[in-house]
Each structure stands twice: as C-alpha cells, then as structure tokens.
Amino acid sequence: MKSFKKFAAVAGVAIIATAVASSATAAGTAWTYTGLTGPSHWKTIDPTNYATCADGTAQSPINIVAPTRSDLVNLAFSYKPSEAGIFNNGHTVEAEPLGTSTSAVKIDGVSYNFAQFHFHAPSEHEINGMHYPVEIHFVNKSADGKLAVVGVFVKVGATNAEWAPFISKMLSATANAEETKVELDWAKLLPRNKQTIRYNGSLTTPGCTEGVKWNVFNHAIEMSQAQINTFLEAYSGNNRPVQPLNKRVVTLDSTSAK
Ligand SMILES: [Zn+2]
C-alpha cells in the first residue's frame, strides 16, 4: 500500500508537470528573451515548431544599412477607427480591432486585413546599428494567410495624443482583450510620411515563420519621454537580436516625400 501510494504521488506529479509544460507552450510563455530559453535557444525549446528560428535563412529583424533605392508604390492604408481590445500576452502588450474590422492595407496589389499591433523595446530593427527606444508592429494578413508587417519606430519628442488611449491602458491590461477596450483611430497611429524600407523576412517570435513582407517606416513617430517610459515599464528587452541578411535585398523608397 505504501509503495502504491508513493507511485501514485509520483505519477500525479508527472501528470501535473506535463500539463503545465504543454499549457505553457500553448500560451506561448515557454520562450523568453534572456537566459536558457532566450533567442539562441528557441529551436531547442520546441524543435518541431521552432526549428526555423535557428535554421531559417530569411529571418527578422535585421540591421538596415545602405538599402537599395527604388521608386515604390505607396502602401495603401484603409485603416478605420474602431473599438480596440488591449491585452498582455506575456511577451508584449497588444491591441486588436474588436467586432467586424474592415481595416486593411494594400501592398503590391494584395490586400491584407489588419489583425493587431504590439510593440518591442528597444526596436528590433536597427538602422546603421542604432536602435530606437520602441518599435511597433502592425500585423496584417491576406485572405490566403500571407503576412505583411508594418514597422513603426518611436523617438522621443512631443506628447502623442493619438497614442494616449492605448498607453493609458498598457499597464492594467489583462490576458483578455475583452476586458480592456478603448477607441483607436488606427490610421493616425502611423507616421504622416509613408516612405518605407522593405524586405522579405520572418516573424520575430517563435516559430519565426518566413515569407513575411516587411515594411518599416523610414520616419519615426514622436512620443513624450513619459509615454515611452510607460512602454518600457510594461516590457523592456523584448527584442530579438538582428539576424544575418544573407542574400536578401533591402529597398528604400526613393521618393522621400510620400
Ligand atoms: Zn513584433
């Protein structure tokens, strides 16, 4: 009886441990940005789903140096104001349009529906080896599942009224988007000047899936130091290090006044 009890207790612990491990993976909390579960170990954590993080050849982010200049067709944004759900996913704070969203962006003739934005601090992309304090990613998805991410750098400057509703809820947001709602005018969160830097890359979080169209605005938006500090208080150091460019071409729109 004694030994049976002991076995049951051990088995019980094993079951609990398995349940915790799998739910942590499902919730996306197993990987981190530092230490033994940091970026250089992402493949090891889940070799089935995260292999591309180590084996991919078109990974993001990158250090942007001397991009090729070429005249590009502007991104055509049709982002419309809507109610936003704000939530904390354990790696960043995110905002997504609630209800039926009709916000989209057209790139090279393909329409991508706006799904969510989230942020990294400091910026994930570097310009000539330099980081901005914050980079925001607007994630857009086409009908056939292709991703186009629009990157917005943030620099210290004037208080940004358009971003204030999101910033005011960042620190109190829970894991449930339905619990924290604000009105956001998504289009006004972007820089006025729409000149972009473009290249083909990947998601910057596990599984680091490739085939992502990257569009990084060349002009940063301004926020006050106090506003930026709220981002840093929510998350700091949630940036993946830059990845090898390999043979990829990085293009800067040659038309600077967009
Ligand atoms: Zn991101």
Side-chain angles (χ1 to χ4, degrees), residues 153-225:
F153 292 125
V154 181
K155 65 179 179 184
V156 183
T159 300
N160 192 318
E162 301 296 344
W163 275 93
F166 173 76
I167 294 169
S168 70
K169 302 290 183 188
M170 282 182 86
L171 299 177
S172 57
T174 66
N176 180 0
E178 295 289 333
E179 286 178 355
T180 307
K181 299 177 185 177
V182 295
E183 276 294 318
L184 286 181
D185 193 344
W186 309 95
K188 292 194 174 152
L189 304 177
L190 304 171
R192 262 191 218 104
N193 185 312
K194 300 289 191 286
Q195 186 189 25
T196 51
I197 298 156
R198 303 186 201 181
Y199 75 98
N200 292 320
S202 73
L203 296 180
T204 65
T205 56
C208 310
T209 314
E210 296 187 344
V212 176
K213 261 187 187 294
W214 274 95
N215 310 267
V216 180
F217 281 116
N218 193 35
H219 296 266
I221 58 170
E222 287 187 10
M223 289 186 194
S224 68
Q225 186 65 60

Side-chain angles (χ1 to χ4, degrees), residues 118-120 124 135-137 139 149 204-205 214:
H118 61 268
F119 80 95
H120 304 267
E124 294 206 300
E135 179 177 347
I136 296 147
H137 290 157
V139 180
V149 183
T204 65
T205 56
W214 274 95

Side-chain angles (χ1 to χ4, degrees), residues 105 107-114 140-148 209-213:
V105 59
I107 308 167
D108 296 334
V110 179
S111 185
Y112 299 83
N113 292 317
F114 172 57
N140 308 273
K141 201 173 190 177
S142 70
D144 62 352
K146 294 208 168 61
L147 291 172
T209 314
E210 296 187 344
V212 176
K213 261 187 187 294

Side-chain angles (χ1 to χ4, degrees), residues 57-186:
T57 55
Q59 291 287 291
S60 295
I62 56 165
N63 179 20
I64 297 162
V65 181
T68 306
R69 283 174 178 265
S70 176
D71 194 20
L72 303 172
V73 176
N74 258 13
L75 305 185
F77 287 95
S78 53
Y79 281 10
K80 298 180 186 74
S82 79
E83 191 172 47
I86 301 173
F87 63 102
N88 187 327
N89 70 9
H91 303 290
T92 185
V93 181
E94 211 165 302
E96 62 181 20
L98 296 175
T100 316
S101 169
T102 52
S103 287
V105 59
K106 205 170 199 180
I107 308 167
D108 296 334
V110 179
S111 185
Y112 299 83
N113 292 317
F114 172 57
Q116 48 100 342
F117 75 67
H118 61 268
F119 80 95
H120 304 267
S123 66
E124 294 206 300
H125 288 97
E126 296 176 16
I127 303 281
N128 297 321
M130 301 290 285
H131 289 275
Y132 282 92
V134 175
E135 179 177 347
I136 296 147
H137 290 157
F138 288 76
V139 180
N140 308 273
K141 201 173 190 177
S142 70
D144 62 352
K146 294 208 168 61
L147 291 172
V149 183
V150 174
V152 177
F153 292 125
V154 181
K155 65 179 179 184
V156 183
T159 300
N160 192 318
E162 301 296 344
W163 275 93
F166 173 76
I167 294 169
S168 70
K169 302 290 183 188
M170 282 182 86
L171 299 177
S172 57
T174 66
N176 180 0
E178 295 289 333
E179 286 178 355
T180 307
K181 299 177 185 177
V182 295
E183 276 294 318
L184 286 181
D185 193 344
W186 309 95

